């Protein structure tokens, strides 16, 4: 396509699940076309940006400016087209934009998390246009590719890791590239925090949270309470009691947060497990811990260690 934009593969419709690199691929296409010809006029937008620009143009009576922006480019790159579903007026405008570009042999590249026919409330005429070019399904990377990605990321970060560890990570994390990189970042951060080299034994507990839920060890609220009590060196009776001392209140809030986040427990049941407390107490605890996690690295570290102990086999 980059060799002859606007030719055979027009439009190029790229689809696949979350975190598989569709946005990076669109941007790589744009960069390659610019490299080949620096005068190429390229516009990259999300479907949300297209929608917002269209609405703004309508309200401000600036449709000519809008059309000039979108219909005079050499290459239009549109990310997350699935969000046009159900937006009738925006679909109408995109249809005419698409037609003018296509008729003028301008390249159109579209990404989505699903094939055209699977987008709900998408007009048939748009589905037909999207399918008239090249449909490219971006699947999950295979084992060898996942290992290669991890090796590349380690080189970029100048961080050495044994190949058997990378193999284990590639075996556990199979869904998408974004999750794979997230797992690697978590492993590196944990070991840098501890100032130790990673080993297979130290990495395995960290990757538990990346396993499909169905493969995780099943835990009960009582087990969670026991793990947290042990982690903070507290007595169970004190933790479940009525004292509001900070040394007890904060671990209780962590338990409530984890019961909601990890076990999907209801707020009333969380309150019941924690000594018969009201469900609003559980709601407050969840909100407080969620907020603290945004910038409290120590709390992030504590929760990671607790989850490792909780799911350890």
């Amino acid at each position: 396509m980059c060799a002859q934009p606007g030719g055979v593969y027009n439009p190029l419709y790229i689809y696949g699940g979350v975190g598989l690199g569709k946005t990076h691929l669109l941007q790589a296409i744009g960069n390659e076309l610019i490299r080949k010809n620096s005068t190429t006029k390229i516009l990259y937008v999300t479907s949300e940006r297209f929608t917002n620009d269209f609405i703004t143009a309508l309200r401000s009576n600036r449709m000519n400016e809008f059309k000039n922006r979108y219909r005079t480019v050499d290459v239009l790159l549109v990310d997350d087209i699935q969000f046009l579903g159900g937006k009738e007026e925006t679909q109408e405008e995109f249809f005419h934009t698409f037609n003018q570009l296509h008729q003028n042999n301008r390249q159109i590249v579209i990404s989505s998390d699903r094939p055209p026919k699977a987008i709900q409330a998408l007009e048939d005429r748009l589905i037909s246009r999207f399918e008239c070019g090249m449909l490219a399904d971006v699947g999950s990377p295979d084992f060898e590719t996942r290992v290669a990605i991890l090796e590349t990321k380690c080189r970029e970060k100048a961080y050495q890791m044994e190949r058997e560890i990378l193999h284990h990570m590639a075996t556990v994390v199979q869904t998408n590239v974004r999750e794979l990189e997230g797992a690697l970042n978590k492993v590196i951060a944990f070991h840098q925090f501890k100032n130790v080299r990673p080993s297979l034994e130290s990495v395995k507990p960290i990757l538990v949270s990346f396993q499909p839920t169905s493969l995780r060890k099943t835990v009960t609220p009582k087990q969670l309470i026991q793990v947290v009590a042990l982690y903070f060196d507290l007595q169970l009776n004190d933790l479940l009691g009525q004292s509001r001392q900070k040394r007890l209140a904060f671990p209780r809030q962590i338990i409530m947060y984890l019961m909601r986040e990890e076990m999907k427990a209801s707020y009333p049941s969380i309150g019941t497990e924690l000594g018969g407390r009201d469900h609003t107490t559980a709601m407050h605890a969840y909100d407080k811990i969620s907020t603290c996690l945004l910038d409290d690295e120590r709390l992030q570290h504590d929760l990671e260690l607790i989850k490792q102990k909780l799911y350890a086999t």
Side-chain angles (χ1 to χ4, degrees), residues 225 228-230 232-241 247-248:
I225 293 170
V228 173
L230 186 62
F232 288 102
D233 193 23
L234 299 171
Q235 297 295 319
L236 280 177
N237 290 340
D238 293 336
L239 197 55
L240 298 176
R247 70 181 188 90
L248 300 171

Side-chain angles (χ1 to χ4, degrees), residues 14-168:
I14 302 167
Y15 68 96
V18 174
L20 293 177
K22 300 184 297 298
T23 298
H24 288 302
L25 190 53
L26 255 65
Q27 294 172 349
I29 290 171
N31 289 333
E32 177 63 12
L33 290 171
I34 287 290
R35 188 189 69 79
K36 286 179 173 292
N37 185 351
S38 61
T39 64
T40 304
K41 189 177 179 182
I42 299 175
L43 177 60
Y44 165 85
V45 293
T46 63
S47 65
E48 182 181 12
R49 175 63 184 273
F50 181 89
T51 301
N52 291 339
D53 285 353
F54 173 59
I55 293 172
T56 301
L58 274 179
R59 290 175 176 172
S60 58
N61 196 27
R62 298 168 67 180
M63 280 304 298
N64 286 336
E65 183 180 323
F66 173 86
K67 291 176 181 179
N68 184 61
R69 169 177 165 80
Y70 280 94
R71 299 186 187 184
T72 60
V73 296
D74 298 313
V75 181
L76 178 63
L77 309 172
V78 186
D79 211 354
D80 288 329
I81 200 69
Q82 70 272 9
F83 293 119
L84 284 190
K87 299 180 175 71
E88 295 182 4
E89 290 188 37
T90 306
Q91 288 187 46
E92 173 82 19
E93 181 57 34
F94 189 79
F95 174 78
H96 294 301
T97 299
F98 182 102
N99 278 350
Q100 182 160 334
L101 291 172
H102 196 266
Q103 289 165 7
N104 292 332
N105 296 320
R106 300 297 189 254
Q107 181 67 49
I108 303 164
V109 185
I110 296 167
S111 82
S112 175
D113 64 355
R114 67 202 76 173
K117 282 189 172 69
I119 299 177
Q120 292 185 348
L122 185 67
E123 295 178 2
D124 289 340
R125 59 181 178 173
L126 278 178
I127 293 175
S128 175
R129 295 300 190 280
F130 294 165
E131 292 182 338
C132 74
M134 174 72 176
L135 296 182
D137 182 2
V138 182
S140 298
D142 58 23
F143 175 78
E144 289 78 11
T145 303
R146 295 196 297 274
V147 172
I149 290 170
L150 290 170
E151 290 176 337
T152 299
K153 293 298 180 182
C154 283
R155 284 197 297 271
E156 290 175 356
K157 299 173 186 295
Y159 192 87
Q160 292 185 347
M161 200 173 295
E162 297 295 330
R163 192 169 178 82
E164 67 169 353
I165 297 176
L166 299 181
H167 279 200
H168 179 70

